[in-house]
Amino acid sequence: MEITGALVATLSKKAKENRQIIVDVFKGGGHFGGSFSCTDILTVLYNSVMNVDPANPKWEGRDYFILSKGHANGALATVLATRGFYSCEQLETFNCLDSPFGEHPTQKMPGVEIPTGSLGHGLSIGVGIALSLKLDKKDSKVYVLMGDGELHEGQVWEAMQAAPKWGLDNLIAIVDRNRLSMDGPTESVSMPLEPLVDKWSSFNWAVKTVDGHDVRALLEVSSAIPFRTGSPSVIIANTVKGKGVSFMEGDYNWHYGLLNEETRRQALSEIAEAR
Amino acid sequence: MPSDDVMKQATLKGIAGRDAYGLTLAQLGKENENIVVMAADALESTKGIYFAKEFPERTFNFGIAEANMVGAAAGMALRGKVPVVAFYGFLTMRVCEQVRTDICYPRLNVKIAATASGLAMGAGGSTHHGLEDIAIMRSFPNMTIVCPASPIETVKATRAVIADHDGPVYLRLVRGADFGGTEELYDREDIPFEIGKAIILNEGEDVSIVATGQVVGLALQAGRALEREGISARVINMHTVKPIDVEAIKRAAKETTGIVTIEEHSTIGGLGDAVCSVVCEECIPTRVRKIGIRDKFCSVGPTSELWSKYGLSKENIIDVAKSIVQD
């Protein structure tokens, strides 16, 4: 795939539209911070990286995606809608009784492989899918998007040990490194993660870091997958929690929040004006 | 039906329940290439080793990391594999959230084989006793819980839950070879095994004894002793604790004066509570007395002596049954 200026522009525009939709998906409150930090990543993955068929979400040849940081489902639900898995109107039921769309992915949501949201589970599930693909000699890839705070969970490190054992170069972990967990900065308040690149490397993963809001950089890094034959790949995507809305950016209090009419207008206007 | 070979081996006196399971699993591997076996550094002791020898490419050792293994099993099942995951019974607690969220919620076709359940690792002490697993697993929607009582029943149950059932299963296996009192079961290949359908091992009218797992043998012994004293005991092998056989319990409650339950498990949340729940919800006036581990951590010791110490004995069943009949 050629990474043209036009493609970058198209994806950037799409990411902006997705953020605008997310504002209204979260009209009753939502995980703004972690959804906006991974909106660009999800937009690029679903529109230019992964092989998916919106008309047939269970298509045998698809790439697999696991939203291990399930609380960003507002972003995923929106990205799947604008990719054509279902209509944007259906998102109006978000968080409503019996809706397929809730704060965390459910199996009722077209395009979702497995419910997630309890942190630390996704990479293990990805290991299982990747193993079965190898067993069946299939070429599909498995993408697992994790929060950085999620890496505090011990199970993640179990999965990190396991993937290289079986040479799962069809498995790609993406860490949304916004440096904030619910209680504050990971490095000073909840639990330090650095040196994060060294940790993944020493677990025998092939690591690349990227600006998680730079569409071109995300496309370039994705085109290099697998980073090393025979090894699982991890992309540490440096991001800003709440990206796109000034009063949310870098403020851990916007991990979850509710907009009023005035702040909603401000958010939509800032997203629209962003370059 | 299981192959003659497996049946023959399983009926040999002295074979352990876990071997009966492992041999059957290897047989099933020949019949279904989607079966994969996962172990957490206990492949040999949980008896996945028979399968592993035949199908090394379908055997995965995850090291001492059960949570990751269960998550990976979910991933495998998403692609149509039939993962059989084995660990010691006490580790069910380690992975209960993964089992609930990754397997039961999406209702994936993953089979969990818990070996060394109950007090099987008696000398291991409470760190290694698995006495809470049924209670935990019962509370998860979509979960089926099967506790075979003998090697021959283990063969049948293993086949039933893996080959004939689509969905999550918790197969609670016993570790050792001592299935005391289940001699009848060794020779009863003709007893049909159906998930959710209790087996009435002895018809009786005075009192009912409902048992699950290895202690079914004690229930049989107690039933025979009671018969000799003129008390007619109905002995019910409740191999499936969930979904429980409601009709068998209703009949026992209506047709006998009361019910004794026995399980190698805490009396909180296990078979006894499941039976109580049925009779209460069905408003059947009767008496249920539970035998099991009564809200305590058990000592270190040989399994058989621990059974006696904590009331898992023929004598205790007899006493409790009499107390119901004579009350």
Side-chain angles (χ1 to χ4, degrees), chain B:
Chain B
M1 286 300 293
S3 74
D4 290 346
D5 275 2
V6 175
M7 272 313 219
K8 213 170 284 168
Q9 290 192 65
T11 51
L12 289 172
K13 251 196 149 129
I15 191 175
R18 56 181 172 155
D19 285 303
Y21 150 79
L23 290 163
T24 308
L25 185 56
Q27 172 65 31
L28 292 172
K30 292 177 191 158
E31 300 168 21
N32 183 353
E33 62 180 21
N34 281 322
I35 294 174
V36 292
V37 167
M38 300 174 154
D41 195 41
L43 187 65
E44 298 210 9
S45 63
T46 59
K47 299 302 174 188
I49 194 71
Y50 300 110
F51 182 96
K53 280 179 182 155
E54 301 260 5
F55 310 104
E57 74 289 355
R58 286 195 266 146
T59 306
F60 300 93
N61 195 326
F62 278 79
I64 308 165
E66 293 80 11
N68 179 50
M69 173 172 69
V70 170
M76 287 271 203
L78 283 175
R79 295 202 68 261
K81 301 296 173 199
V82 184
V84 181
V85 174
F87 43 73
Y88 295 150
F90 71 90
L91 287 163
T92 301
M93 289 177 281
R94 174 82 62 114
V95 297
C96 74
E97 196 225 352
Q98 285 77 11
V99 171
R100 184 199 71 123
T101 307
D102 302 340
I103 293 173
C104 290
Y105 181 26
R107 201 180 181 284
L108 292 176
N109 196 21
V110 175
K111 317 301 176 184
I112 297 165
T115 64
S117 63
L119 294 165
M121 292 193 286
S126 277
T127 55
H128 282 60
H129 298 162
L131 298 166
E132 306 83 358
D133 52 340
I134 294 176
I136 295 166
M137 291 294 127
R138 266 185 73 215
S139 69
F140 296 166
N142 294 333
M143 182 55 98
T144 292
I145 305 171
V146 174
C147 315
S150 72
I152 198 81
E153 188 166 85
T154 300
V155 171
K156 295 179 197 172
T158 302
R159 172 168 288 274
V161 303
I162 295 173
D164 306 331
H165 179 84
D166 181 30
V169 174
Y170 185 74
L171 182 63
R172 192 180 199 245
L173 300 164
V174 293
R175 185 187 203 204
D178 180 18
F179 284 79
T182 52
E183 291 87 351
E184 289 91 340
L185 297 177
Y186 284 102
D187 303 324
R188 296 289 301 277
E189 292 179 30
D190 59 313
I191 299 178
F193 182 92
E194 190 182 329
I195 294 170
K197 191 155 177 45
I199 297 169
I200 313 298
L201 292 170
N202 190 50
E203 289 290 353
E205 291 155 10
D206 294 331
V207 65
S208 296
I209 306 170
V210 181
T212 196
Q214 195 164 11
V215 292
V216 167
L218 297 180
L220 273 170
Q221 290 172 12
R224 278 197 295 265
L226 286 163
E227 296 279 347
R228 285 195 291 273
E229 296 186 45
I231 296 171
S232 161
R234 181 177 303 183
V235 180
I236 301 175
N237 172 9
M238 193 65 74
H239 51 71
T240 307
V241 180
K242 185 186 180 185
I244 202 155
D245 188 339
V246 172
E247 289 309 311
I249 297 168
K250 281 165 72 176
R251 281 200 307 278
K254 286 176 183 164
E255 295 165 10
T256 67
T257 56
I259 300 171
V260 182
T261 65
I262 177 161
E263 60 200 304
E264 193 182 1
H265 184 271
S266 168
T267 51
I268 298 172
L271 172 71
D273 276 0
V275 169
C276 287
S277 176
V278 171
V279 295
C280 286
E281 292 204 285
E282 299 289 336
C283 291
I284 304 168
T286 188
R287 175 165 298 156
V288 178
R289 290 200 170 149
K290 299 186 287 186
I291 297 175
I293 309 304
R294 293 216 159 250
D295 198 15
K296 60 178 60 167
F297 290 107
C298 298
S299 305
V300 168
T303 301
S304 59
E305 290 175 43
L306 290 173
W307 277 24
S308 301
K309 178 179 165 84
Y310 295 103
L312 301 176
S313 64
K314 176 181 81 174
E315 292 74 20
N316 193 31
I317 300 172
I318 293 167
D319 287 348
V320 174
K322 282 183 181 170
S323 76
I324 288 176
V325 175
Q326 293 162 359
D327 205 14

Side-chain angles (χ1 to χ4, degrees), chain A residues 16-54:
Chain A
K16 182 185 281 197
E17 288 166 2
N18 284 335
R19 278 198 174 81
Q20 289 169 321
I21 295 169
I22 292 168
V23 167
D24 285 334
V25 165
F26 285 159
K27 58 184 181 293
H31 289 96
F32 284 98
S35 293
F36 284 163
S37 67
C38 66
T39 302
D40 299 308
I41 297 167
L42 287 170
T43 302
V44 170
L45 278 180
Y46 269 98
N47 291 283
S48 282
V49 176
M50 292 196 304
N51 287 311
V52 292
D53 179 1

Side-chain angles (χ1 to χ4, degrees), chain A residues 113-183:
Chain A
E113 304 289 351
I114 190 168
T116 48
S118 178
L119 297 175
H121 290 216
L123 193 58
S124 301
I125 295 165
V127 165
I129 298 172
L131 261 182
S132 72
L133 287 166
K134 290 273 183 193
L135 202 52
D136 293 344
K137 301 185 167 50
K138 302 282 186 191
D139 292 331
S140 297
K141 294 188 172 65
V142 187
Y143 295 82
V144 180
L145 179 60
M146 293 184 287
D148 54 354
E150 177 175 10
L151 303 185
H152 296 155
E153 290 281 2
Q155 186 184 340
V156 174
W157 301 83
E158 294 181 3
M160 281 165 64
Q161 289 180 96
K165 170 177 178 179
W166 289 294
L168 299 180
D169 55 9
N170 53 351
L171 178 65
I172 303 98
I174 304 168
V175 179
D176 180 359
R177 181 73 167 121
N178 60 37
R179 306 184 81 89
L180 290 175
S181 52
M182 211 158 63
D183 277 348

Side-chain angles (χ1 to χ4, degrees), chain A residues 59-119:
Chain A
W59 167 49
E60 171 70 21
R62 71 188 180 279
D63 289 330
Y64 290 76
F65 177 79
I66 305 292
L67 184 69
S68 195
K69 50 170 292 180
H71 56 284
N73 193 41
L76 178 64
T78 299
V79 168
L80 290 177
T82 60
R83 181 69 174 86
F85 281 76
Y86 39 81
S87 73
C88 287
E89 286 69 47
Q90 285 177 265
L91 293 175
E92 286 170 20
T93 65
F94 197 86
N95 281 1
C96 294
L97 182 66
D98 292 333
S99 172
F101 311 105
E103 280 179 18
H104 305 100
T106 69
Q107 244 183 353
K108 289 183 184 170
M109 205 171 124
V112 164
E113 304 289 351
I114 190 168
T116 48
S118 178
L119 297 175

